[in-house]
Amino acid sequence: MASQARIRTNSTTAARTGLCAWAAARCRRWLPTLVAVVTLLVAWELWVDFGHVNRHAFSAPSEIVQATVDVWPKMWAATQVTIQEAVAGFVLAVALGILLGVLFYCSPILNAAFFPLLTAAQTMPLITIAPLFIIWFGFEISGKIAIVAVFSLFPIAVQTIRGLMAVPQYYEDVALTCGATRWWTLWHVKLRVAARQIFGGIRISASYLFATATTAEYMGARKGLGIWLQMAYNSFRTPLIFCATFMIVALTGVVLLCVGAAERLLLGDDDATALDDGD
């Protein structure tokens, strides 16, 4: 009984030590960022309050927070529309981007024929494409979803192709030697090895996801943060413009955190562990 109690005590101590080490590593990683953000906000507030800044051109953080509290119900209703457009377009972009990447990797002919067209589509500015989508889809949410999907799938497709091409040949050789088919090897071996790089493309798409959706709304929509920005600009309410801007930044951060969590859940936390060990 005594030995079992000692084992339980040692296990509890080890668990607490591991948890403390994990918390300390996260603090070392995020504390500099937190200090920098707080410092910038304080400097911003003091500059606006004591620097004789035109309040119609620049708002203090306290004014932005107060404006957000005052208009939150209406702003959140507009934000929900943008979230629907961005999330639906992002899901489509991930699915189509990985599928296109696999098709282009498997078929050099398709790659040579259509990849330059996909590249050309990404070089066109959104301001020239949005009017066409308004003509095709009207002011409905479906048009904004299509725009988000089109402008988000390119990095995912490119990173899928590059990731698959970077997989060492011996992975396929071992799988085929064990009796696997080429298609099974592609979906269960090569994509698994290339997954880190594919997630890199997904992160790139996620980083400008809400900016694309908001810009599309700004050019023509009935609801959303883009329309909110348009109304704030037309009424010269600078704090509301900053409110929408910070909302877009916050939503982008949430999506990036979700992508990172999905990567760790599916692929493990090897990179993070290695960084922590290096610390």
Side-chain angles (χ1 to χ4, degrees), residues 5-258:
R6 281 197 300 271
I7 292 174
R8 284 196 295 268
T9 301
N10 293 336
S11 300
T12 303
T13 303
R16 289 176 179 174
T17 302
L19 182 61
C20 292
W22 180 86
R26 291 303 181 271
C27 288
R28 288 197 301 270
R29 182 175 299 179
W30 294 107
L31 185 60
T33 302
L34 180 61
V35 171
V37 169
V38 172
T39 302
L40 287 174
L41 289 175
V42 171
W44 182 357
E45 182 75 29
L46 294 175
W47 174 61
V48 174
D49 289 341
F50 301 103
H52 305 291
V53 177
N54 184 357
R55 295 302 178 105
H56 291 292
F58 223 86
S59 302
S62 58
E63 295 174 331
I64 298 170
V65 172
Q66 185 60 50
T68 303
V69 172
D70 293 339
V71 301
W72 177 252
K74 294 181 179 179
M75 184 179 177
W76 177 241
T79 302
Q80 288 178 310
V81 176
T82 305
I83 291 174
Q84 293 174 12
E85 297 166 352
V87 172
F90 186 54
V91 171
L92 281 174
V94 171
L96 293 176
I98 294 175
L99 180 60
L100 285 175
V102 172
L103 289 176
F104 289 165
Y105 170 75
C106 294
S107 175
I109 295 177
L110 285 177
N111 195 347
F114 292 104
F115 189 76
L117 299 178
L118 182 62
T119 305
Q122 301 301 309
T123 62
M124 290 184 289
L126 181 58
I127 194 172
T128 64
I129 299 298
L132 292 176
F133 280 84
I134 293 174
I135 294 173
W136 296 337
F137 297 96
F139 293 99
E140 301 301 324
I141 291 178
S142 57
K144 312 306 172 292
I145 294 174
I147 290 176
V148 171
V150 168
F151 278 85
S152 299
L153 66 84
F154 180 73
I156 302 172
V158 170
Q159 291 301 98
T160 300
I161 297 171
R162 295 185 64 183
L164 289 171
M165 293 179 65
V167 175
Q169 181 62 36
Y170 64 80
Y171 281 99
E172 182 176 6
D173 294 340
V174 171
L176 294 176
T177 302
C178 294
T181 63
R182 291 191 179 276
W183 279 108
W184 191 95
T185 303
L186 172 65
W187 291 105
H188 294 85
V189 177
K190 287 190 172 183
L191 276 175
R192 176 62 177 81
V193 177
R196 292 285 183 190
Q197 197 154 347
I198 295 172
F199 267 103
I202 294 174
R203 277 200 189 87
I204 294 172
S205 294
S207 64
Y208 55 82
L209 179 65
F210 285 96
T212 302
T214 305
T215 305
E217 291 170 345
Y218 192 89
M219 294 178 182
R222 291 192 176 92
K223 299 177 182 179
L225 280 177
I227 299 301
W228 176 271
L229 278 169
Q230 197 176 79
M231 291 188 297
Y233 167 74
N234 291 335
S235 59
F236 295 98
R237 300 180 68 181
T238 306
L240 299 186
I241 297 176
F242 281 104
C243 290
T245 302
F246 285 121
M247 177 62 73
I248 293 170
V249 172
L251 291 174
T252 302
V254 170
V255 172
L256 288 172
L257 287 175
C258 291

Side-chain angles (χ1 to χ4, degrees), residues 260-279:
E263 182 179 4
R264 283 190 288 271
L265 181 64
L266 295 174
L267 306 178
D269 199 18
D270 297 337
D271 294 345
T273 302
L275 288 174
D276 292 344
D277 291 341
D279 291 338

